[in-house]
Amino acid sequence: MIHAVNKRAKELLNLKGDDVPYPRHEYALGDDPRPAPKQSPPQQPFPLNPSRAAASPKSPKGRYDDAFRHVFLDSGTDYECTQSDLDVTGALARRECPTDSREGREACGKKWFPQRNEGPFVSPRQACLDIYNHNTSRRKPGNLELEAIARLQKAITAGRGGSWGPDLIIKAFCDLDIVFFRGRLRGHVCVRWLPDWSEHRCTTWGSTIYLGDSKCAINLNADTILCKYRQPLEGMFATMLHEMCRADALTQVIEGEMMKCASHGKNFGTRYYAVNKRAKKLFNLSLVVHPEVKYPQHKYEKGEGYP
């Protein structure tokens, strides 16, 4: 080996190496037809948290039952988050459904969220443009965002190997918020798994309910995502990011102008496709569960959609 290094150093750097006549393998002399011996593969690294057992793969029924349990840091899916992340997101399994009235929704909002949303609140177009610019490939992420991306990549990779549960989406919510929505949803949105509430002959994946005071609840359909869809992990993340696009408008837009964001119009579609493009690049995740569904979007290069 030392002879090969000496020869390479002479060629590249004109450096004279050690001229002691060390013995060398026969294949280095060019007269041995056998290939050089292969090195043994490196040992697998130790897990980051060897004291915690990896989550074992579960059946759809097992995941369905777990969806309605409280979420704790030291059990369920292994994900690096804080107790504060869980408290503001929905770890306490907020299964109580607000009554179908403004008063009922506002009562739940005041019960679930201890602090007000102080804004700043902007126009629908400005809120949409903020998300579009945040998810552009031209922007360089900061350190906190890069750390969140690394945690999500690790968890999604493990999940594709079977190590995940429905608590993952609650534990990962704050990181999804940082990566795709500038961290503005934290403290104003809670996440809940609920049994199927679809109307007859309809399929519902999720919904976002406005609770007043720029707060909202994201509901995930446990039956559709965990039991009926063939790729429940992908379906869970796709539904969550879809509903977070809705939640961004409900928590960031001036309340008097929220009706402009109520439908799947251009303000929603622009967010949706910007988030979808970045999710594909970072995690190979697609929000497009039904390819035949197309949403309109602003064409900024034509001057459309700017505030």
Side-chain angles (χ1 to χ4, degrees):
M1 185 184 295
I2 190 67
H3 297 284
V5 172
N6 286 343
K7 181 179 179 181
R8 187 67 169 160
K10 179 69 174 178
E11 293 174 351
L12 294 178
L13 305 174
N14 197 26
L15 293 176
K16 182 179 179 182
D18 193 346
D19 54 6
V20 176
Y22 297 104
R24 48 182 162 180
H25 289 292
E26 292 179 349
Y27 60 79
L29 301 175
D31 56 1
D32 191 334
R34 294 172 297 175
K38 294 182 179 180
Q39 300 294 323
S40 59
Q43 297 294 318
Q44 293 296 323
F46 290 104
L48 295 178
N49 188 1
S51 64
R52 177 180 178 136
S56 58
K58 289 193 173 184
S59 65
K61 180 65 167 59
R63 289 198 178 109
Y64 182 87
D65 292 339
D66 288 347
F68 307 111
R69 305 183 191 279
H70 295 316
V71 180
F72 300 100
L73 287 175
D74 57 354
S75 63
T77 309
D78 193 2
Y79 192 87
E80 299 175 20
C81 62
T82 66
Q83 188 61 48
S84 175
D85 293 338
L86 299 185
D87 291 343
V88 301
T89 304
L92 298 181
R94 299 179 173 107
R95 291 187 292 269
E96 176 186 355
C97 292
T99 58
D100 192 17
S101 67
R102 179 175 179 178
E103 293 77 14
R105 290 190 292 269
E106 290 179 350
C108 278
K110 292 177 181 178
K111 179 180 179 181
W112 292 344
F113 298 101
Q115 63 184 27
R116 289 179 56 84
N117 185 352
E118 302 294 345
F121 302 110
V122 296
S123 68
R125 284 190 173 186
Q126 182 62 59
C128 171
L129 182 62
D130 289 342
I131 299 303
Y132 178 85
N133 289 334
H134 179 78
N135 287 283
T136 180
S137 59
R138 297 187 298 272
R139 185 183 64 83
K140 183 179 180 180
N143 290 334
L144 287 177
E145 193 173 347
L146 291 174
E147 292 170 2
I149 291 171
R151 288 190 292 268
L152 287 166
Q153 288 175 334
K154 176 183 174 183
I156 291 170
T157 300
R160 286 175 172 146
S163 299
W164 70 281
D167 61 328
L168 171 59
I169 203 64
I170 293 177
K171 291 178 176 178
F173 179 86
C174 289
D175 279 346
L176 291 172
D177 181 25
I178 290 172
V179 174
F180 295 102
F181 298 94
R182 306 178 299 149
R184 292 290 305 278
L185 305 186
R186 181 189 174 95
H188 311 310
V189 180
C190 71
V191 180
R192 306 183 300 163
W193 285 100
L194 294 177
D196 189 15
W197 67 90
S198 304
E199 297 181 1
H200 181 57
R201 295 185 178 179
C202 293
T203 300
T204 303
W205 293 76
S207 66
T208 302
I209 299 177
Y210 184 62
L211 302 173
D213 295 328
S214 299
K215 308 279 188 177
C216 62
I218 291 178
N219 301 326
L220 301 177
N221 191 323
D223 291 80
T224 301
I225 297 172
L226 301 176
C227 298
K228 298 178 181 179
Y229 191 53
R230 59 185 177 83
Q231 294 180 304
L233 179 73
E234 278 73 11
M236 179 176 71
F237 275 96
T239 304
M240 173 56 69
L241 290 173
H242 179 118
E243 298 303 332
M244 289 175 81
C245 290
R246 299 280 304 278
D248 180 76
L250 295 177
T251 57
Q252 310 305 319
V253 171
I254 300 168
E255 189 159 3
E257 298 189 41
M258 281 186 183
M259 288 304 296
K260 297 179 181 179
C261 305
S263 65
H264 288 145
K266 289 185 177 181
N267 289 324
F268 171 83
T270 303
R271 283 186 182 86
Y272 177 90
Y273 290 113
V275 170
N276 181 64
K277 183 176 180 179
R278 192 162 185 229
K280 280 186 176 181
K281 180 178 179 180
L282 291 177
F283 311 117
N284 195 25
L285 288 172
S286 176
L287 277 66
V288 184
V289 178
H290 300 290
E292 67 275 8
V293 178
K294 304 293 183 182
Y295 301 113
Q297 55 185 316
H298 292 298
K299 302 296 183 182
Y300 291 116
E301 67 274 12
K302 298 181 180 179
E304 178 189 340
Y306 284 103

